[in-house]
Amino acid sequence: MKRYSITVNGKAYDVAVEEITDGSAPVVAASPVAAAPAPAVATAPVAEGTKVAAPMPGTILDVKVAVGDTVEAGKALFVLEAMKMENDVNAPCAGKIVSINVTKGTAVETGTVLAVIQ
């Protein structure tokens, strides 16, 4: 019997696999084990207003606005690299930037709040 440690979707499993050579199905036993704790991620408080969220996972290559800037709907606020392509993240509405929650080089997931417009 061979033992392996496998991590699936952040959950670690201790798996024992027995090799059977007579043609019958192998027996597999799996039991969850305590996974290493995820690193703590500091999140900035999100201001009230229209939230500009990341449309897909990627890395912020450029922040084109600053807190206090007035923007029009459709203005490019960020450049997001995803799958080796550069994508503009545009303002969904006109208003004033009251919060920017990311910096250049930040890795983001889908739905991460990048900025808030009031």
Side-chain angles (χ1 to χ4, degrees), residues 18-57:
E18 181 179 351
E19 182 177 345
I20 308 232
T21 58
D22 65 0
S24 61
V27 177
V28 178
S31 60
V33 295
V41 177
T43 56
V46 177
E48 293 297 319
T50 302
K51 293 168 180 56
V52 180
M56 64 191 84

Side-chain angles (χ1 to χ4, degrees), residues 11 17 69 113:
K11 189 171 186 179
V17 180
D69 288 355
V113 177

